[in-house]
Amino acid sequence: MFNVPLDKATDIYYNSETANLIEEGVADLHCRSDKYLAEEVWREFQESK
């Protein structure tokens, strides 16, 4: 979706606040679409640069 290698995408995801929130079950993020979650994680990553 964002032309990032799989290993980099995995690293971005597992170091995101969104991943932590999903794991904790906060705000029913686990019910959101893959596209929504990918965009949310990418937005977080871009803001952290």
Side-chain angles (χ1 to χ4, degrees):
M1 187 168 166
F2 297 104
N3 296 320
V4 178
L6 182 58
D7 59 332
K8 177 72 173 169
T10 302
D11 186 51
I12 291 169
Y13 172 76
Y14 282 110
N15 289 303
S16 72
E17 181 62 27
T18 300
N20 290 333
L21 293 173
I22 292 169
E23 187 173 322
E24 293 173 7
V26 174
D28 294 327
L29 286 174
H30 62 279
C31 296
R32 302 288 181 145
S33 72
D34 295 345
K35 182 179 178 187
Y36 173 85
L37 294 172
E39 289 171 347
E40 190 65 21
V41 170
W42 188 252
R43 182 190 57 76
E44 271 184 57
F45 175 67
Q46 291 298 311
E47 288 177 357
S48 71
K49 287 173 128 183

